[in-house]
Amino acid sequence: MKRVLIAGLVIYAVAAVFGFAYGGVMPLYEVLAREYFGQRILGTLLGAATMVSSIGMALGPLGGGWIFDRFGGYAWLYIGSFALGLGAVAIALFFPPLGRRAELLPA
């Protein structure tokens, strides 16, 4: 009984850390989208990003299951995820920097 209680507390602690970390990323994502693409198309941009994310979350388990059944393990899933992560880092590194804004002066 005590092991179950400790395991449950550990799961809740990990979920809380994940939630706080993920909660800090989402507002940053929206601010960066606004800064790079402007407020005028922000709704369209976030809607498209949400749609692509949702399609990926819907089809990911099907693709992962197919890869597991085809190759008999998770190795290719990890390799593919690693390659996608490297691609995301490359895009982030080569994205043009934001221009400097004029500083506001006191009245």
Side-chain angles (χ1 to χ4, degrees), residues 5-94:
L5 178 64
I6 292 173
L9 291 174
V10 168
I11 289 172
Y12 278 115
V14 169
V17 168
F18 178 79
F20 283 121
Y22 193 70
V25 169
M26 292 312 291
L28 178 62
Y29 169 73
E30 293 180 8
V31 168
L32 287 173
R34 186 194 70 209
E35 293 294 320
Y36 273 102
F37 299 103
Q39 192 170 354
R40 187 170 181 197
I41 64 166
L42 186 61
T44 303
L45 179 69
L46 293 177
T50 302
M51 181 188 70
V52 170
S53 297
S54 297
I55 290 171
M57 286 185 269
L59 298 179
L62 294 173
W66 181 81
I67 291 172
F68 180 84
D69 290 343
R70 178 88 170 131
F71 297 105
Y74 291 108
W76 286 107
L77 291 169
Y78 289 123
I79 291 169
S81 295
F82 183 73
L84 285 173
L86 285 179
V89 167
I91 289 171
L93 288 176
F94 291 109

Side-chain angles (χ1 to χ4, degrees), residues 97-103:
L98 288 173
R100 289 227 172 265
R101 289 186 174 189
E103 293 186 30

